[in-house]
Amino acid sequence: MSLLASITGPADLIGFSRDELILLADEIRDFLVREVSRTGGHLGPNLGVVELTIALHRIFDSPRDTLVFDTGHIGYVHKLLTGRQDFAGLRTRGGLSGYPSRAESEHDVVENSHASTSLSWAEGIARGRRLRGEGDRHTVAVIGDGALTGGMAWEALNDIAADKDLRLTIVVNDNERSYAPTAGALAKHLALLRTTRSYEEMLTWGRRAITGTPIVGQRVFGALHGVKKGIKDIVAPQVLFEDLGLKYVGPVDGHDLDALQTALRRARDFEGPVLVHVLTEKGRGYEPARSNEDDQFHAVGVINPETGLPLEIAGRSWTDNFSDVLEQLGREREDIVALTAAMLIPVGLRGFAQAHPDRVFDVGIAEQHAATMAAGLAYTGLHPVVALYSTFLNRAFDQVLMDCALHRAGVTFVLDRAGATGSDGASHNGMWDLSLLSIVPGLRLAAPRDGSQLDQAMREAVAVSDGPTVVRFPKGSEPEVIPSVDHDGEVDVLARYGLDHERLLGDTVGDLRGSGTEVDLLVVSVGAMASVALGAAQKVAAQGYRIEVVDPRWVIPVSPQLRGRARRSGAVAVLEDSLVAGGVGDAVAAALGQVGDFTPVYRFGLPKAFPEHASRAQVLADAGLTPDAVADRLIAALEDAREAPRAEVHEALRVV
């Protein structure tokens, strides 16, 4: 039996010898490469924290001591050491989550995979333990140097440092990267701190060499050691964390188990907050990852474990299309600039950055800062394009509202991976954006249904200079182009079913609203839901109903053309891959109600819940967002509406 297979929990590590621990680290890396290559996932980051995670579980007693992993994507080794070694279904329905999960283990505490939150969580837990008289329980936050660029982390550090008796260990996992190399002044400061490691090594060598000199050796070394602080201040001026009031330990070799355990033991036994600065290598031990300059296999799909090459060839993605469109717009307009929050490659800005390096700003994991900085850039006459994953816009809502919208700033937000994303779990779904943004005054939002519409939407968005615009699109490959059959202002008519019949409204089916209606049902498709809307509409039309399917293109605010078409319909159905509460369907119903029109609006979207990790298709199916499920609900609703007047008449006769 392998050492890894013998582990059922962290306590099993205590009896391992140093040689066995080194062998265990090798086994874990082999396991990760073999298993994650089959499923996809966060490979590079976990290869880098093998020894660190082993050391954490040797020095601290989880779950009595609490380990909080920032973002949690480095939690695979933690899962293995806490008895979860079936990775066959990683990130798929019924399998292990790609992040910590309370439902999986008592060793998991924080499920949120948004960065820069671990220090706040850990401080709250540590203070709570102390208030409850559990001061002998330790709390550890593991945060990457990339996540330290987030403002929330610094808010927490400021508060933690003020509590000198708080038993809290902060481990900075410094691999010089988040997704890509960490940017900003903090990254430069950590680089300076790394040089102190060379200084300490020089001092150790000097101790051995000088103290070996007869008679004068100890005195010479004492004099050298006396100027240590002066030398360190020259090499790395003002060690930032110590200046804040935190005990600083490091830098520590993150792949030296002895050094790690010594540093973590010192931190554990210190009666106050301690920061342990650990240097690790992303992708450690796997050459395809180490040689990948883009992200060192931060996240991979299914790959050949021998070569690191993908086994699945994905089609052209929405992100690829956006990248090409923005590059072209950059050539056409010198005022367009781009911003990203440590995600330059994932959100498709690499091409633009290569063509216009002085017009791209990577602000680190700081979406709030990016949004407000964009407002400032717009004030100078530039047009900023802020490219984010939709889920991460949640954190910048206040800045979109108060800095961009209030000041009518011409800023375009491009939201990648909008709607259900699936495999990365609840916190990564981009399902909140439409509900949040629908209440922002003056904001306009486009949801293109295919690649050609993405091109058009981007051009229209960057032409707006008097308020924020948003363009959203889902994760994955683009669908085939869905042409329109007609246009009504911004509204594209995608299909009409049953409207060429000689049968008049009211015959057989029944007139749902009166002789003024032109169609029985208007189906409003939002963005990528077009294929579902068309499929459902065909099935409903087969029951004898007259259907029109439209794509508003710009879904916030509701356009006059869409309101007009809705008022001439017997009923309206709105399909969106976002929250049904507060989404486009609610906006359409509200727009009609404002003019005294109470056309029935049937709303189809995601429920107000946190979907478990599964594929996008599975999440949508669970919410009833398939052609068959939508059609069945619509047919039932239309039948009920047709029978309602008769039921009211019968009830009136009965009462008389």
Side-chain angles (χ1 to χ4, degrees):
M1 175 185 288
S2 69
L3 291 172
L4 177 58
S6 71
I7 294 175
T8 59
D12 295 332
L13 294 170
I14 303 304
F16 282 19
S17 68
R18 182 178 183 277
D19 289 343
E20 286 175 324
L21 291 174
I22 293 172
L23 179 58
L24 174 63
D26 291 338
E27 287 186 9
I28 289 174
R29 286 195 170 90
D30 289 343
F31 177 97
L32 290 173
V33 171
R34 181 178 67 252
E35 296 298 323
V36 178
S37 66
R38 295 172 180 170
T39 61
H42 290 98
L43 180 56
N46 284 283
L47 292 172
V49 297
V50 175
E51 290 85 1
L52 173 58
T53 311
I54 292 172
L56 284 167
H57 278 296
R58 292 254 302 174
I59 300 303
F60 296 95
D61 180 21
S62 177
R64 177 171 174 76
D65 295 335
T66 301
L67 305 182
V68 180
F69 294 93
D70 203 284
T71 73
H73 67 266
I74 59 168
Y76 293 7
V77 185
H78 168 73
K79 288 177 186 279
L80 293 174
L81 299 181
T82 52
R84 289 167 283 174
Q85 297 180 10
D86 182 2
F87 271 47
L90 180 68
R91 301 169 68 246
T92 62
R93 169 165 288 169
L96 290 178
S97 167
Y99 293 92
S101 170
R102 290 184 182 180
E104 286 181 8
S105 173
E106 62 180 345
H107 297 277
D108 291 0
V109 176
V110 181
E111 302 180 29
N112 183 9
S113 55
H114 286 192
S116 310
T117 66
S118 62
L119 303 187
S120 300
W121 267 100
E123 182 185 6
I125 293 169
R127 285 180 182 263
R129 299 287 193 218
R130 185 172 60 189
L131 284 171
R132 293 177 59 85
E134 301 172 350
D136 60 334
R137 299 178 69 176
H138 299 274
T139 307
V140 183
V142 183
I143 185 169
D145 57 305
L148 272 182
T149 62
M152 188 173 173
W154 287 96
E155 294 173 23
L157 276 175
N158 178 64
D159 200 34
I160 291 167
D163 191 340
K164 303 303 182 185
D165 299 321
L166 190 65
R167 303 195 73 170
L168 173 60
T169 298
I170 299 168
V171 177
V172 176
N173 172 40
D174 180 5
N175 60 20
E176 305 180 53
R177 308 176 73 92
S178 49
Y179 181 94
T182 307
L186 175 65
K188 294 178 182 178
H189 182 80
L190 290 177
L192 277 176
L193 288 180
R194 292 181 203 109
T195 66
T196 67
R197 182 175 176 223
S198 299
Y199 166 74
E200 298 289 356
E201 290 171 349
M202 179 272 290
L203 194 62
T204 300
W205 169 84
R207 179 187 296 113
R208 291 195 303 266
I210 296 172
T211 56
T213 304
I215 303 175
V216 299
Q218 288 294 341
R219 293 181 182 178
V220 172
F221 178 76
L224 174 61
H225 195 271
V227 297
K228 173 180 177 181
K229 179 140 191 343
I231 294 175
K232 182 176 276 191
D233 283 346
I234 294 171
V235 176
Q238 294 185 333
V239 178
L240 176 61
F241 302 111
E242 288 187 344
D243 288 346
L244 280 173
L246 293 168
K247 176 67 176 176
Y248 174 85
V249 177
V252 181
D253 184 343
H255 305 293
D256 182 334
L257 277 164
D258 291 335
L260 282 167
Q261 291 180 94
T262 298
L264 292 173
R265 191 176 294 111
R266 286 177 60 195
R268 182 196 64 190
D269 296 340
F270 187 73
E271 300 291 333
V274 183
L275 187 144
V276 182
H277 183 191
V278 178
L279 307 182
T280 63
E281 292 180 353
K282 196 172 184 179
R284 172 89 171 189
Y286 186 43
E287 182 54 33
R290 291 296 300 156
S291 61
N292 184 278
E293 295 183 2
D294 285 348
D295 67 352
Q296 294 182 335
F297 283 16
H298 179 87
V300 297
V302 178
I303 60 173
N304 182 327
E306 300 297 326
T307 65
L309 296 175
L311 294 179
E312 298 176 346
I313 305 301
R316 180 173 172 79
S317 71
W318 288 92
T319 310
D320 293 335
N321 194 316
F322 161 68
S323 179
D324 291 347
V325 172
L326 190 64
E327 282 185 63
Q328 180 60 39
L329 288 171
R331 287 190 290 269
E332 296 172 8
R333 287 179 45 176
E334 293 183 356
D335 64 321
I336 289 180
V337 296
L339 294 89
T340 179
M343 299 284 280
L344 187 140
I345 294 174
V347 297
L349 293 185
R350 175 165 53 183
F352 188 90
Q354 290 171 341
H356 312 287
D358 58 332
R359 290 158 58 186
V360 171
F361 306 98
D362 184 346
V363 302
I365 302 178
E367 291 83 2
Q368 293 169 295
H369 168 55
T372 301
M373 179 181 169
L377 289 165
Y379 177 73
T380 69
L382 299 173
H383 192 101
V385 175
V386 183
L388 305 170
Y389 282 5
S390 176
T391 181
F392 298 136
L393 183 75
N394 299 352
R395 305 195 292 188
F397 173 76
D398 182 68
Q399 288 68 31
V400 173
L401 179 67
M402 293 299 176
D403 293 314
C404 295
L406 177 63
H407 294 88
R408 303 176 65 87
V411 177
T412 295
F413 292 89
V414 176
L415 304 185
D416 198 330
R417 289 159 173 74
T421 55
S423 59
D424 277 328
S427 64
H428 266 47
N429 283 306
M431 56 189 281
W432 321 102
D433 57 346
L434 291 177
S435 297
L436 289 171
L437 297 174
S438 66
I439 65 173
V440 177
L443 180 142
R444 284 157 274 193
L445 188 148
R449 65 182 180 270
D450 57 37
S452 67
Q453 291 300 309
L454 174 57
D455 185 310
Q456 185 175 348
M458 280 300 302
R459 291 182 174 278
E460 293 170 352
V462 298
V464 176
S465 60
D466 63 349
T469 54
V470 179
V471 178
R472 78 187 298 266
F473 50 81
K475 178 181 180 179
S477 301
E478 284 182 343
E480 294 183 3
V481 172
I482 300 173
S484 60
V485 298
D486 200 357
H487 306 279
D488 181 7
E490 293 179 349
V491 177
D492 283 353
V493 179
L494 303 185
R496 295 187 176 102
Y497 301 109
L499 295 178
D500 56 346
H501 294 176
E502 294 183 359
R503 174 178 53 78
L504 297 176
L505 184 63
D507 294 345
T508 307
V509 172
D511 188 340
L512 297 180
R513 296 186 61 226
S515 59
T517 56
E518 297 177 357
V519 296
D520 297 303
L521 177 67
L522 178 72
V523 177
V524 179
S525 168
V526 176
M529 296 303 294
S531 61
V532 176
L534 289 167
Q538 285 180 300
K539 293 178 182 297
V540 175
Q543 302 302 311
Y545 291 100
R546 300 183 302 172
I547 313 290
E548 184 174 69
V549 183
V550 299
D551 173 8
R553 298 185 55 253
W554 288 86
V555 297
I556 297 173
V558 177
S559 68
Q561 293 84 6
L562 182 59
R563 287 199 303 268
R565 301 191 85 81
R567 296 185 69 182
R568 296 191 296 273
S569 304
V572 178
V574 180
L575 280 64
E576 51 194 312
D577 62 343
S578 59
L579 278 185
V580 70
V584 177
D586 279 359
V588 170
L592 292 174
Q594 286 173 356
V595 294
D597 187 293
F598 299 101
T599 302
V601 179
Y602 305 120
R603 283 151 262 201
F604 296 82
L606 298 173
K608 192 188 298 183
F610 294 105
E612 295 183 1
H613 61 278
S615 69
R616 172 178 162 86
Q618 288 171 327
V619 172
L620 294 179
D622 288 346
L625 294 174
T626 64
D628 286 344
V630 171
D632 289 345
R633 288 177 58 191
L634 283 174
I635 291 169
L638 293 173
E639 289 294 326
D640 288 345
R642 186 183 64 184
E643 296 296 329
R646 299 176 188 175
E648 291 171 2
V649 170
H650 292 164
E651 179 65 17
L653 290 174
R654 190 187 67 80
V655 172
V656 170

